[in-house]
Amino acid sequence: MERTRWIFAGQLGDSFDDGGRMLLVESRAALRRAPLHRAKAHLILSAIRHRAAELGDRVEFHQVEHYRDVVEGRDDLEVVDPTSYAARRLVRSVGATVLPSRGFVTSEADFAEWADARKGRPIMEDFYRWVRGRTGILQDGDAPAGGQWNFDHENRQPPPKRALTLGLPEPWWPEEDDIDRGVRADLDRWQAAGEVTLVGDDGPRRFSATTGEARLALDDFIESRLGDFGPFEDATLTGDWTMAHSLLSAPLNLGLLDPREVIDRVEAEYRAGKAPIGSVEGIVRQLCGWRDWVWHLYWRLGEDYVNSNALAATEPIPRAVLELEASAIEANCLSQTIGGVREHGWAHHIQRLMIIGNWALQRGYDPKQMNEWFIGMFVDGTPWVMPANVVGMSLFADGGIVGTKPYAAGGAYVNRMTDYCGGCRFDPKVRLGPNACPVTAGYWAFLDRVEPQIRGNFRMAQPLAGLRRLSDREQVVDQERRRTAL
């Protein structure tokens, strides 16, 4: 019997196609599970429909309410293991033949063997070096290219002073077509009927929906931004939402690009003397280090990991954040970042970790709710991506499994790495009074709140010692307890 390859929305590229019959299902119910950013809903539907059009006569394409409307009772289905617990339960419940997962540099079996052999907590840096050693990625024999494994120190430059942008060319953008126009009409109709809850602006589609588009975006990144990616990887400018970032996370997570293809391309630029080692290593680290790492942790830590709450954070996310109402937020750093998410459905990693994540960490927003918000509001948000990034790295809700300390920072960090503070009514140097920075004051109030849980963490010894020396500790804590505006 001829098998039919059932592909999901994270499996839309060539690496999931071995020839033969294909099944692609657009499920309306999947859009109803939680509020979604308009740009994310548009991108997913556009990518699914473009893939169906590309496959032509080889595909069964169904637009239905539920997956089971199509797959229940069939005995011809095979599936590359999908990317969420819910999807894996579904494919097994209908009896599909399950193939090993794809779309990552390392396999689940290889990671399990590596992690099981470790004594104590597996560490991402050790994993990253192991991956490079076994694959030869960015290696000169047994040694790392450029003479060191890590160029993070060189890759933490603040934005250029008094610059409005990095001065780079505008990124390549896809052109919308009839499929996109059909998606927009459907979303308008469903939203008007109350069938879906969409948040954020309906702008032109900015992220790739096909492999062809994704490769053009990759070409553009290599040609115009790769060289500046490393130095300004952590920097932020109000007038430059893309900076030198690749904008490839969404097509990678849709399966339109294989990470090894991106890695090979950027390494070739370094070998040809066309790109600096710091920028290339930064991309390689993100792809075969961090991206593979959070993928494997999703399965290793288990489905219940999202319920972790080591710091007893139970505050609900404020409406202004939930609904991306930047105008209702006073603090310029958070307002600008949430405004960017509203407009694009995307923000770079420092905005996610050190602006939104830091704000949520300081105020004790519920980690499970934050995880769901990140999944719904970002075009590259998936159930496997966010737990380690949000629950672990951003909110330290796992107590130190992913990160070795809470990634909390005061206004000095924001002032150094962004231009947000110059346009804010709060002063990053002030922690008490009417112009007290909510990030600076929030940092100390956070340490006061969680001191019992983190006092045994050696990396927090110095910050906690600083907290104990504060002469106005009680006043700062009381001020932040009373602060209601964002």
Side-chain angles (χ1 to χ4, degrees), residues 127-128 219 267 397 419 447 468:
F127 169 72
Y128 171 61
D219 291 343
E267 181 171 1
D419 63 353
L447 291 181
R468 296 179 192 117

Side-chain angles (χ1 to χ4, degrees), residues 413-468:
Y413 176 88
V414 178
N415 194 31
R416 182 170 68 254
M417 297 305 298
T418 80
D419 63 353
Y420 292 146
C421 296
C424 189
R425 81 165 189 85
F426 300 113
D427 186 336
K429 297 178 182 179
V430 176
R431 63 176 177 262
L432 191 63
N435 65 334
C437 172
V439 178
T440 299
Y443 172 78
W444 296 113
F446 163 74
L447 291 181
D448 177 87
R449 176 172 62 84
V450 302
E451 182 179 12
Q453 293 101 315
I454 65 172
R455 64 166 58 104
N457 186 319
F458 77 95
R459 294 195 65 191
M460 297 305 295
Q462 185 174 347
L464 289 176
L467 173 70
R468 296 179 192 117

Side-chain angles (χ1 to χ4, degrees), residues 224-378:
S224 63
R225 300 191 302 286
L226 174 59
D228 290 290
F229 169 77
F232 300 112
E233 187 177 353
D234 289 359
T236 302
L237 286 168
T238 302
D240 194 341
W241 73 275
T242 63
M243 300 292 282
H245 293 276
S246 72
L247 309 178
L248 296 176
S249 54
L252 280 162
N253 293 354
L254 288 168
L256 300 173
L257 280 179
D258 187 89
R260 190 61 194 257
E261 178 180 354
V262 180
I263 289 168
D264 291 345
R265 287 286 307 279
V266 298
E267 181 171 1
E269 293 295 300
Y270 165 70
R271 299 295 181 188
K274 297 179 181 178
I277 183 62
S279 289
V280 171
E281 191 273 326
I283 291 291
V284 168
R285 173 178 293 272
Q286 285 193 352
L287 291 177
C288 76
W290 188 253
R291 185 174 185 271
D292 264 40
W293 178 248
V294 300
W295 161 254
H296 293 308
L297 287 183
Y298 177 67
W299 305 110
R300 188 170 184 85
L301 296 176
E303 192 168 6
D304 193 52
Y305 175 79
V306 295
N307 296 315
S308 302
N309 200 346
L311 300 182
T314 58
E315 287 296 313
I317 303 174
R319 183 195 61 79
V321 175
L322 281 175
E323 300 180 8
L324 305 178
E325 291 292 344
S327 61
I329 301 172
E330 276 194 283
N332 196 48
C333 59
L334 186 65
S335 178
Q336 290 292 338
T337 302
I338 293 297
V341 176
R342 180 179 185 88
E343 186 174 356
H344 308 295
W346 184 89
H348 67 69
H349 66 280
I350 291 299
Q351 293 169 314
R352 300 186 198 203
L353 176 65
M354 301 308 299
I355 303 296
I356 300 173
N358 184 40
W359 188 280
L361 173 68
Q362 290 183 2
R363 281 144 193 85
Y365 295 168
D366 181 270
K368 186 174 183 179
Q369 189 184 13
M370 283 299 299
N371 184 67
E372 292 168 351
W373 180 84
F374 267 94
I375 291 172
M377 292 302 108
F378 287 82

Side-chain angles (χ1 to χ4, degrees), residues 14 36 41 79 112 118 162 181 227 316 353 390 447 462 472 486:
D14 297 340
L36 283 179
V79 183
R118 308 289 300 175
R162 293 179 292 279
R181 286 184 278 277
L353 176 65
V390 177
L447 291 181
Q462 185 174 347
D472 52 6
L486 295 180

